[in-house]
Amino acid sequence: MYFKQRTHTCGELREENIGQEVVLNGWVDTRRDLGGVIFIEMRDRYGVTQIVFEPHFNEAAHHEGKVLRGEFVVSVEGIVRKRPEGTENDRLPTGTIDVLVNKVIILNQAKTPPFAIQDDIDVHEDLRLKYRYLDLRRPKMQQALMLRHKMYQIARKYFDSKDFIEVETPVLMKSTPEGARDFLVPSRMHKGKFYALPQSPQQYKQILMVSGLDRYFQVVKCFRDEDLRADRQPEFTQIDVEMSFVDQEQIFEVVEGLMVEYFKEVWNKELVTPLPRLTYDAAMEKYGSDKPDLRVGLEMKLLNHVFENSTFRVFQDSIAKGGAISGLVAPGCGDYTRNQLDVLTDFIKKLGAGGLIWIRVKEEGLESPTMKFLTPEEQANLTAELGAKPGDLLLILTGAKWKTLSLMGMLRLEMARRLDLIKPDAEPKLLWVTDFPSFEWDEETKRFYAMHHPFTSPRLEDVEFMDTDLSKVKARAYDLVLNGSEVAGGSIRIHDSALQNKMFKALGYTPEDAQEKFGFLMNAFQYGAPPHGGIAFGFDRLAMIFAGEQSIRDVIAFPKTASGISLMDECPSPVSDDQLKELHIRLRG
RNA sequence: GGGGUCGUAGCUCAGCUGGUUAGAGCGUCUGCCUGUCACGCAGAAGGUCGCGAGUUCAAAUCCCGUCGGCCCCGCCA
């Protein structure tokens, strides 16, 4: 089909183009047929331009214009004309002109789309995902993808300017049963053997440091076969970074530099550095989360010392077992009804709490079923410690330390939602969370696991505890947290074989286990591994927050649903027996 | 694995204490309309009430199961 190349995009024409003969190619956005004159808005990635069919100007074109429908692909030739006085559209950058059509070629017809191709449509997401190619025509989605593109380019330019080199690492690699579940890829040529898709290029980037690449980064897809969330997809993009001969401080400096760029280029905001830092312990104690949202002012308080000598059985038990008593003031919620408090109690119980202690603060004192268990002195200390005022509601959770703090953190966010404390236009809050524990106790298997990964260096002053009390060992690990989301995480790695062996031993690996699982990394480290460390950005999350979206699906071109399927191409899908046979696989059941 | 919520026209929803022919707005189609921009006016078409089984004289409505979307907990080195 013959058609002329466009002379302009649909977002380009202005008053200075008046009088020019132009060619536009694009999609029919909206159609307003007034019987005589027909107005059509034409859309492409760059914008929208109104084209006009007038019978007196060109009868044949007008006749052709009659049959155009939404989403038809057209090429039009015409003359740019100033819109008559009073008919300008100030919502369009092209709104002072329109194009009087001389000729229209229908490049393709289109079925009526199942939903309108425009922003702010009210349509279920599953429909958008099934027809993702139409969804992505919406200006908002195109802007999201363009923002994402801009953010890739900023990162690449930034890291390049800092002497980092981008290296691609394998997508087919060895499965490591540590951490998240691997996606497995069966080998045809090696019966019974499997590749795994990388959860992250962790081991490869460390080997690149051994190889002397010094500074590496990569925009890289990673895969984790775990359940999804609004901010979690089974395949996602990291900006992966590793540096040699550095400590935490140099990594922070590099990362903060990139964040300054992002704040400036995306939000036009000046980010003040160095960023605030919070230790893991402090974050848990005050915010009940290792990714605290500091836009919410509410702070939790540890109350163990207030109830040290309490006769209240619940508090006694907690303290005796080394647990936590955590309190939170819900300002102005002192008028919560019994019913509202029951709803709140139910909310936190469903998350795993044993119960919720609530106390209404009145002018005349504290009001709660729990009060009969507390001495007047304890009541006074409680009020003072929390800084509670009449009209407030006090919430207290108690039990095993980390679980209780974490539950209180969820309650804190719930109260923030109820009190509407997170305004969309609130100043973004970016901070480092540092000094994560090296080890995490797992109740189910009754053993310690690496909280980050087994190559994370403990703080050197904590190495002595590796033989005595693993719960005391803190790691040289850090997360970057933006508005309550973990947007990057990393650590200084172990580069010393002796320390690495000590770590494997602490995690319960025999030397044979370690060799079997991580042998290639261990071997590499015997040939001169420099001190090194790094970080990886969760790029989708970062893009989501910078785009002001609530779901990473809105900044990913072709995302999966919460159950991990693609509604558009309907994967995962069954495969033929022949395919399975070739891979030496027989399905069970 | 668990909890919550939703599923009715192409879309967004109402109807749900069982009872006539399941409605509305938008969209689509047809006709009229020469400056619209949410064009307007008139008319029409459009339904496996997610699916299955059950209770009942009778089920969109009640019960059970199942599938799917979204959110959360667990999980995510």
Side-chain angles (χ1 to χ4, degrees), chain A residues 222-272:
Chain A
C222 301
F223 306 86
R224 291 176 193 175
D225 188 7
E226 297 292 344
D227 287 4
L228 292 81
R229 285 285 190 285
D231 63 352
R232 261 166 38 192
Q233 287 269 308
E235 60 174 302
F236 60 100
T237 303
Q238 286 189 346
I239 299 179
D240 196 39
V241 176
E242 197 76 5
M243 304 164 73
S244 290
F245 306 111
V246 292
D247 202 341
Q248 189 168 290
E249 296 306 320
Q250 288 83 52
I251 291 169
F252 282 16
E253 200 181 311
V254 164
V255 168
E256 289 178 1
L258 177 62
M259 295 311 290
V260 166
E261 290 290 313
Y262 278 147
F263 269 61
K264 183 157 166 276
E265 297 298 323
V266 180
W267 277 340
N268 196 28
K269 281 182 192 292
E270 196 183 332
L271 177 66
V272 178

Short mmCIF file of all heavy atoms in Angstrom, two decimals, chain A residues 222-272:
data_model
loop_
_atom_site.label_atom_id
_atom_site.label_comp_id
_atom_site.label_asym_id
_atom_site.label_seq_id
_atom_site.Cartn_x
_atom_site.Cartn_y
_atom_site.Cartn_z
N CYS A 222 16.09 -10.35 36.35
CA CYS A 222 16.29 -11.38 37.37
C CYS A 222 14.98 -12.12 37.55
O CYS A 222 13.91 -11.62 37.22
CB CYS A 222 16.71 -10.75 38.69
SG CYS A 222 18.24 -9.82 38.57
N PHE A 223 15.08 -13.34 38.08
CA PHE A 223 13.91 -14.22 38.15
C PHE A 223 13.80 -14.88 39.52
O PHE A 223 14.78 -15.43 40.01
CB PHE A 223 14.04 -15.31 37.08
CG PHE A 223 14.26 -14.75 35.70
CD1 PHE A 223 15.55 -14.45 35.26
CD2 PHE A 223 13.20 -14.53 34.84
CE1 PHE A 223 15.77 -13.93 34.00
CE2 PHE A 223 13.41 -14.02 33.57
CZ PHE A 223 14.69 -13.71 33.15
N ARG A 224 12.64 -14.81 40.11
CA ARG A 224 12.42 -15.50 41.38
C ARG A 224 11.04 -16.15 41.35
O ARG A 224 10.04 -15.48 41.10
CB ARG A 224 12.52 -14.53 42.56
CG ARG A 224 13.94 -14.04 42.75
CD ARG A 224 14.11 -13.01 43.83
NE ARG A 224 15.44 -12.43 43.68
CZ ARG A 224 15.92 -11.41 44.39
NH1 ARG A 224 15.17 -10.85 45.32
NH2 ARG A 224 17.13 -10.97 44.17
N ASP A 225 11.04 -17.43 41.62
CA ASP A 225 9.78 -18.19 41.54
C ASP A 225 9.07 -18.13 42.89
O ASP A 225 8.92 -19.14 43.56
CB ASP A 225 10.08 -19.63 41.12
CG ASP A 225 8.80 -20.41 40.83
OD1 ASP A 225 7.72 -19.79 40.84
OD2 ASP A 225 8.89 -21.62 40.63
N GLU A 226 8.63 -16.95 43.26
CA GLU A 226 7.91 -16.76 44.52
C GLU A 226 6.59 -16.06 44.25
O GLU A 226 6.36 -15.56 43.15
CB GLU A 226 8.77 -15.92 45.48
CG GLU A 226 10.08 -16.57 45.88
CD GLU A 226 9.90 -17.81 46.75
OE1 GLU A 226 8.79 -18.01 47.29
OE2 GLU A 226 10.85 -18.60 46.87
N ASP A 227 5.73 -16.02 45.25
CA ASP A 227 4.42 -15.40 45.07
C ASP A 227 4.56 -13.90 44.80
O ASP A 227 5.46 -13.25 45.30
CB ASP A 227 3.55 -15.61 46.31
CG ASP A 227 3.06 -17.06 46.38
OD1 ASP A 227 3.47 -17.86 45.53
OD2 ASP A 227 2.28 -17.37 47.29
N LEU A 228 3.62 -13.37 44.02
CA LEU A 228 3.72 -11.99 43.58
C LEU A 228 3.01 -11.04 44.53
O LEU A 228 2.24 -11.45 45.40
CB LEU A 228 3.11 -11.86 42.19
CG LEU A 228 3.89 -12.54 41.06
CD1 LEU A 228 3.58 -14.03 41.00
CD2 LEU A 228 3.58 -11.89 39.73
N ARG A 229 3.29 -9.76 44.35
CA ARG A 229 2.65 -8.68 45.08
C ARG A 229 2.50 -7.49 44.13
O ARG A 229 2.97 -7.56 43.01
CB ARG A 229 3.53 -8.21 46.24
CG ARG A 229 3.58 -9.11 47.42
CD ARG A 229 2.32 -9.06 48.25
NE ARG A 229 2.53 -9.79 49.49
CZ ARG A 229 2.57 -11.11 49.60
NH1 ARG A 229 2.35 -11.84 48.52
NH2 ARG A 229 2.79 -11.69 50.74
N ALA A 230 1.89 -6.42 44.65
CA ALA A 230 1.77 -5.22 43.82
C ALA A 230 3.16 -4.71 43.41
O ALA A 230 3.30 -4.11 42.36
CB ALA A 230 1.01 -4.13 44.58
N ASP A 231 4.16 -4.97 44.24
CA ASP A 231 5.51 -4.50 43.90
C ASP A 231 6.48 -5.66 43.65
O ASP A 231 7.68 -5.50 43.81
CB ASP A 231 6.04 -3.55 44.98
CG ASP A 231 6.20 -4.25 46.32
OD1 ASP A 231 5.76 -5.42 46.45
OD2 ASP A 231 6.77 -3.63 47.24
N ARG A 232 5.95 -6.82 43.30
CA ARG A 232 6.83 -7.97 43.04
C ARG A 232 6.35 -8.76 41.84
O ARG A 232 5.20 -9.17 41.78
CB ARG A 232 6.85 -8.88 44.27
CG ARG A 232 8.05 -8.66 45.12
CD ARG A 232 7.95 -9.27 46.49
NE ARG A 232 7.30 -10.55 46.57
CZ ARG A 232 6.93 -11.10 47.73
NH1 ARG A 232 7.16 -10.46 48.85
NH2 ARG A 232 6.34 -12.25 47.75
N GLN A 233 7.24 -8.99 40.88
CA GLN A 233 6.95 -9.80 39.71
C GLN A 233 7.98 -10.93 39.66
O GLN A 233 9.09 -10.78 40.17
CB GLN A 233 7.08 -8.94 38.44
CG GLN A 233 5.93 -7.97 38.24
CD GLN A 233 4.81 -8.58 37.42
OE1 GLN A 233 5.00 -9.10 36.34
NE2 GLN A 233 3.60 -8.51 37.97
N PRO A 234 7.63 -12.05 39.03
CA PRO A 234 8.59 -13.17 38.98
C PRO A 234 9.80 -12.83 38.12
O PRO A 234 10.88 -13.36 38.36
CB PRO A 234 7.79 -14.31 38.37
CG PRO A 234 6.62 -13.66 37.70
CD PRO A 234 6.34 -12.40 38.45
N GLU A 235 9.63 -11.99 37.12
CA GLU A 235 10.81 -11.47 36.43
C GLU A 235 10.81 -9.97 36.58
O GLU A 235 9.79 -9.32 36.44
CB GLU A 235 10.85 -11.90 34.96
CG GLU A 235 9.69 -11.47 34.12
CD GLU A 235 9.90 -11.81 32.66
OE1 GLU A 235 10.90 -11.34 32.08
OE2 GLU A 235 9.06 -12.54 32.09
N PHE A 236 11.96 -9.45 36.93
CA PHE A 236 12.04 -8.03 37.23
C PHE A 236 13.42 -7.53 36.83
O PHE A 236 14.31 -8.32 36.52
CB PHE A 236 11.75 -7.77 38.70
CG PHE A 236 12.70 -8.47 39.63
CD1 PHE A 236 13.76 -7.80 40.21
CD2 PHE A 236 12.53 -9.82 39.91
CE1 PHE A 236 14.65 -8.45 41.05
CE2 PHE A 236 13.42 -10.48 40.75
CZ PHE A 236 14.48 -9.80 41.33
N THR A 237 13.57 -6.23 36.84
CA THR A 237 14.82 -5.64 36.35
C THR A 237 15.60 -5.02 37.50
O THR A 237 15.04 -4.29 38.31
CB THR A 237 14.51 -4.55 35.30
OG1 THR A 237 13.75 -5.15 34.25
CG2 THR A 237 15.79 -3.96 34.74
N GLN A 238 16.87 -5.37 37.54
CA GLN A 238 17.76 -4.74 38.51
C GLN A 238 18.76 -3.86 37.78
O GLN A 238 19.14 -4.15 36.66
CB GLN A 238 18.56 -5.80 39.28
CG GLN A 238 17.76 -6.55 40.31
CD GLN A 238 18.65 -7.42 41.19
OE1 GLN A 238 19.81 -7.66 40.89
NE2 GLN A 238 18.09 -7.89 42.29
N ILE A 239 19.19 -2.81 38.47
CA ILE A 239 20.44 -2.18 38.07
C ILE A 239 21.45 -2.69 39.06
O ILE A 239 21.41 -2.37 40.25
CB ILE A 239 20.36 -0.64 38.09
CG1 ILE A 239 19.29 -0.18 37.11
CG2 ILE A 239 21.71 -0.05 37.70
CD1 ILE A 239 19.13 1.32 37.08
N ASP A 240 22.32 -3.53 38.57
CA ASP A 240 23.22 -4.28 39.42
C ASP A 240 24.58 -3.59 39.40
O ASP A 240 25.07 -3.22 38.34
CB ASP A 240 23.32 -5.71 38.88
CG ASP A 240 23.92 -6.65 39.89
OD1 ASP A 240 23.60 -6.52 41.08
OD2 ASP A 240 24.71 -7.53 39.48
N VAL A 241 25.16 -3.43 40.58
CA VAL A 241 26.39 -2.63 40.69
C VAL A 241 27.38 -3.34 41.61
O VAL A 241 26.98 -3.91 42.62
CB VAL A 241 26.06 -1.24 41.31
CG1 VAL A 241 27.33 -0.42 41.52
CG2 VAL A 241 25.08 -0.47 40.43
N GLU A 242 28.65 -3.35 41.23
CA GLU A 242 29.68 -3.90 42.11
C GLU A 242 30.95 -3.07 41.95
O GLU A 242 31.27 -2.62 40.85
CB GLU A 242 29.94 -5.37 41.78
CG GLU A 242 30.66 -6.15 42.87
CD GLU A 242 29.79 -6.53 44.08
OE1 GLU A 242 28.56 -6.29 44.04
OE2 GLU A 242 30.33 -7.07 45.07
N MET A 243 31.65 -2.87 43.06
CA MET A 243 32.86 -2.04 43.05
C MET A 243 33.97 -2.71 43.87
O MET A 243 33.70 -3.34 44.89
CB MET A 243 32.58 -0.67 43.69
CG MET A 243 31.43 0.09 43.06
SD MET A 243 30.82 1.44 44.13
CE MET A 243 32.16 2.62 43.95
N SER A 244 35.21 -2.53 43.41
CA SER A 244 36.36 -3.09 44.13
C SER A 244 37.06 -2.01 44.95
O SER A 244 36.98 -0.82 44.62
CB SER A 244 37.38 -3.67 43.14
OG SER A 244 36.85 -4.83 42.54
N PHE A 245 37.77 -2.47 45.97
CA PHE A 245 38.55 -1.58 46.84
C PHE A 245 37.70 -0.48 47.46
O PHE A 245 38.06 0.68 47.45
CB PHE A 245 39.74 -0.96 46.07
CG PHE A 245 40.60 -2.00 45.40
CD1 PHE A 245 40.64 -2.11 44.02
CD2 PHE A 245 41.38 -2.87 46.16
CE1 PHE A 245 41.43 -3.08 43.40
CE2 PHE A 245 42.16 -3.84 45.55
CZ PHE A 245 42.19 -3.95 44.17
N VAL A 246 36.54 -0.87 47.91
CA VAL A 246 35.65 0.13 48.52
C VAL A 246 35.13 -0.36 49.86
O VAL A 246 35.17 -1.55 50.16
CB VAL A 246 34.42 0.44 47.64
CG1 VAL A 246 34.84 1.15 46.37
CG2 VAL A 246 33.63 -0.82 47.35
N ASP A 247 34.63 0.57 50.60
CA ASP A 247 33.87 0.27 51.81
C ASP A 247 32.47 0.82 51.57
O ASP A 247 32.18 1.43 50.53
CB ASP A 247 34.54 0.95 53.01
CG ASP A 247 34.13 0.27 54.31
OD1 ASP A 247 33.12 -0.44 54.32
OD2 ASP A 247 34.84 0.46 55.32
N GLN A 248 31.61 0.60 52.57
CA GLN A 248 30.23 1.06 52.50
C GLN A 248 30.12 2.52 52.07
O GLN A 248 29.27 2.87 51.26
CB GLN A 248 29.63 0.86 53.89
CG GLN A 248 28.16 1.08 53.98
CD GLN A 248 27.64 0.55 55.33
OE1 GLN A 248 27.60 -0.64 55.55
NE2 GLN A 248 27.28 1.46 56.20
N GLU A 249 31.01 3.36 52.58
CA GLU A 249 30.89 4.80 52.34
C GLU A 249 30.99 5.15 50.86
O GLU A 249 30.26 6.00 50.37
CB GLU A 249 31.96 5.56 53.13
CG GLU A 249 31.82 5.44 54.64
CD GLU A 249 30.43 5.84 55.15
OE1 GLU A 249 29.86 6.82 54.64
OE2 GLU A 249 29.91 5.13 56.04
N GLN A 250 31.91 4.49 50.13
CA GLN A 250 32.07 4.82 48.71
C GLN A 250 30.84 4.34 47.91
O GLN A 250 30.45 4.97 46.93
CB GLN A 250 33.33 4.16 48.14
CG GLN A 250 34.62 4.79 48.62
CD GLN A 250 35.04 4.26 49.98
OE1 GLN A 250 35.12 3.06 50.21
NE2 GLN A 250 35.29 5.18 50.92
N ILE A 251 30.27 3.24 48.36
CA ILE A 251 29.08 2.75 47.65
C ILE A 251 27.91 3.71 47.88
O ILE A 251 27.19 4.08 46.94
CB ILE A 251 28.75 1.32 48.10
CG1 ILE A 251 29.83 0.38 47.58
CG2 ILE A 251 27.38 0.89 47.59
CD1 ILE A 251 29.78 -1.01 48.15
N PHE A 252 27.77 4.16 49.12
CA PHE A 252 26.71 5.13 49.43
C PHE A 252 26.86 6.38 48.56
O PHE A 252 25.89 6.90 48.04
CB PHE A 252 26.75 5.52 50.91
CG PHE A 252 26.16 4.48 51.84
CD1 PHE A 252 25.93 3.18 51.41
CD2 PHE A 252 25.82 4.82 53.14
CE1 PHE A 252 25.40 2.23 52.26
CE2 PHE A 252 25.26 3.88 54.00
CZ PHE A 252 25.06 2.58 53.56
N GLU A 253 28.11 6.81 48.43
CA GLU A 253 28.36 8.05 47.70
C GLU A 253 27.94 7.90 46.24
O GLU A 253 27.29 8.78 45.67
CB GLU A 253 29.86 8.36 47.80
CG GLU A 253 30.21 9.80 47.52
CD GLU A 253 31.72 9.99 47.61
OE1 GLU A 253 32.31 9.55 48.62
OE2 GLU A 253 32.28 10.56 46.67
N VAL A 254 28.31 6.77 45.64
CA VAL A 254 27.95 6.53 44.24
C VAL A 254 26.43 6.45 44.07
O VAL A 254 25.86 7.06 43.16
CB VAL A 254 28.61 5.22 43.73
CG1 VAL A 254 27.97 4.76 42.44
CG2 VAL A 254 30.10 5.45 43.52
N VAL A 255 25.78 5.72 44.97
CA VAL A 255 24.33 5.54 44.86
C VAL A 255 23.62 6.87 45.09
O VAL A 255 22.67 7.22 44.36
CB VAL A 255 23.84 4.49 45.88
CG1 VAL A 255 22.33 4.51 45.98
CG2 VAL A 255 24.34 3.11 45.48
N GLU A 256 24.08 7.61 46.07
CA GLU A 256 23.44 8.89 46.35
C GLU A 256 23.57 9.84 45.16
O GLU A 256 22.64 10.58 44.84
CB GLU A 256 24.04 9.51 47.62
CG GLU A 256 23.61 8.74 48.87
CD GLU A 256 24.22 9.27 50.17
OE1 GLU A 256 24.97 10.27 50.12
OE2 GLU A 256 23.93 8.68 51.23
N GLY A 257 24.70 9.75 44.47
CA GLY A 257 24.89 10.57 43.28
C GLY A 257 23.85 10.26 42.22
O GLY A 257 23.30 11.16 41.58
N LEU A 258 23.55 8.98 42.04
CA LEU A 258 22.54 8.59 41.06
C LEU A 258 21.15 9.07 41.50
O LEU A 258 20.37 9.57 40.69
CB LEU A 258 22.53 7.07 40.88
CG LEU A 258 21.46 6.54 39.92
CD1 LEU A 258 21.66 7.09 38.50
CD2 LEU A 258 21.44 5.01 39.90
N MET A 259 20.88 8.95 42.78
CA MET A 259 19.57 9.36 43.27
C MET A 259 19.39 10.88 43.13
O MET A 259 18.29 11.35 42.84
CB MET A 259 19.37 8.92 44.73
CG MET A 259 19.33 7.42 44.92
SD MET A 259 18.22 6.53 43.80
CE MET A 259 16.64 7.05 44.42
N VAL A 260 20.48 11.62 43.30
CA VAL A 260 20.42 13.07 43.08
C VAL A 260 19.98 13.36 41.65
O VAL A 260 19.12 14.19 41.39
CB VAL A 260 21.78 13.74 43.38
CG1 VAL A 260 21.83 15.15 42.82
CG2 VAL A 260 22.05 13.73 44.88
N GLU A 261 20.57 12.58 40.70
CA GLU A 261 20.21 12.74 39.29
C GLU A 261 18.72 12.44 39.06
O GLU A 261 18.02 13.19 38.38
CB GLU A 261 21.03 11.78 38.42
CG GLU A 261 22.49 12.12 38.32
CD GLU A 261 22.72 13.38 37.49
OE1 GLU A 261 22.12 13.48 36.41
OE2 GLU A 261 23.46 14.26 37.97
N TYR A 262 18.28 11.33 39.63
CA TYR A 262 16.88 10.95 39.46
C TYR A 262 15.92 12.00 40.03
O TYR A 262 14.94 12.37 39.40
CB TYR A 262 16.60 9.59 40.11
CG TYR A 262 16.99 8.40 39.25
CD1 TYR A 262 17.45 7.23 39.82
CD2 TYR A 262 16.90 8.46 37.86
CE1 TYR A 262 17.80 6.13 39.04
CE2 TYR A 262 17.26 7.39 37.08
CZ TYR A 262 17.70 6.22 37.66
OH TYR A 262 18.05 5.15 36.88
N PHE A 263 16.22 12.45 41.23
CA PHE A 263 15.34 13.45 41.84
C PHE A 263 15.29 14.70 40.97
O PHE A 263 14.23 15.29 40.78
CB PHE A 263 15.84 13.81 43.26
CG PHE A 263 15.23 12.95 44.34
CD1 PHE A 263 15.41 11.58 44.35
CD2 PHE A 263 14.45 13.52 45.34
CE1 PHE A 263 14.84 10.78 45.33
CE2 PHE A 263 13.86 12.73 46.32
CZ PHE A 263 14.07 11.36 46.33
N LYS A 264 16.43 15.08 40.43
CA LYS A 264 16.50 16.29 39.63
C LYS A 264 15.82 16.09 38.28
O LYS A 264 14.96 16.88 37.88
CB LYS A 264 17.98 16.65 39.42
CG LYS A 264 18.23 17.93 38.66
CD LYS A 264 19.62 18.46 38.99
CE LYS A 264 20.06 19.54 38.04
NZ LYS A 264 20.65 19.00 36.79
N GLU A 265 16.16 15.01 37.60
CA GLU A 265 15.69 14.82 36.22
C GLU A 265 14.23 14.37 36.15
O GLU A 265 13.54 14.66 35.18
CB GLU A 265 16.57 13.79 35.50
CG GLU A 265 18.02 14.23 35.33
CD GLU A 265 18.15 15.49 34.49
OE1 GLU A 265 17.37 15.64 33.52
OE2 GLU A 265 19.00 16.33 34.82
N VAL A 266 13.77 13.64 37.15
CA VAL A 266 12.41 13.12 37.09
C VAL A 266 11.45 14.02 37.85
O VAL A 266 10.36 14.34 37.38
CB VAL A 266 12.33 11.68 37.64
CG1 VAL A 266 10.90 11.16 37.57
CG2 VAL A 266 13.26 10.76 36.87
N TRP A 267 11.84 14.41 39.03
CA TRP A 267 10.93 15.16 39.88
C TRP A 267 11.25 16.65 39.95
O TRP A 267 10.53 17.42 40.58
CB TRP A 267 10.95 14.58 41.30
CG TRP A 267 10.05 13.39 41.48
CD1 TRP A 267 8.99 13.03 40.70
CD2 TRP A 267 10.13 12.41 42.52
NE1 TRP A 267 8.41 11.89 41.19
CE2 TRP A 267 9.08 11.49 42.31
CE3 TRP A 267 10.98 12.22 43.63
CZ2 TRP A 267 8.87 10.39 43.16
CZ3 TRP A 267 10.76 11.13 44.45
CH2 TRP A 267 9.71 10.23 44.21
N ASN A 268 12.40 17.02 39.36
CA ASN A 268 12.86 18.40 39.48
C ASN A 268 12.97 18.82 40.95
O ASN A 268 12.55 19.91 41.34
CB ASN A 268 11.93 19.35 38.71
CG ASN A 268 12.57 20.70 38.49
OD1 ASN A 268 13.81 20.79 38.41
ND2 ASN A 268 11.75 21.74 38.41
N LYS A 269 13.49 17.91 41.75
CA LYS A 269 13.68 18.21 43.17
C LYS A 269 15.16 18.09 43.51
O LYS A 269 15.88 17.29 42.91
CB LYS A 269 12.93 17.18 44.04
CG LYS A 269 11.44 17.42 44.16
CD LYS A 269 10.84 16.36 45.07
CE LYS A 269 9.33 16.35 45.01
NZ LYS A 269 8.70 17.54 45.56
N GLU A 270 15.58 18.87 44.46
CA GLU A 270 16.96 18.77 44.90
C GLU A 270 17.03 17.81 46.07
O GLU A 270 16.37 18.00 47.09
CB GLU A 270 17.48 20.15 45.33
CG GLU A 270 18.98 20.18 45.42
CD GLU A 270 19.49 21.54 45.91
OE1 GLU A 270 18.80 22.55 45.67
OE2 GLU A 270 20.55 21.56 46.54
N LEU A 271 17.81 16.76 45.91
CA LEU A 271 17.97 15.78 46.98
C LEU A 271 19.19 16.14 47.81
O LEU A 271 20.28 16.31 47.27
CB LEU A 271 18.14 14.38 46.39
CG LEU A 271 18.39 13.26 47.39
CD1 LEU A 271 17.16 13.03 48.27
CD2 LEU A 271 18.77 11.97 46.67
N VAL A 272 19.00 16.30 49.10
CA VAL A 272 20.11 16.65 49.98
C VAL A 272 20.85 15.38 50.39
O VAL A 272 20.26 14.42 50.86
CB VAL A 272 19.60 17.38 51.23
CG1 VAL A 272 20.76 17.71 52.17
CG2 VAL A 272 18.86 18.65 50.83
#
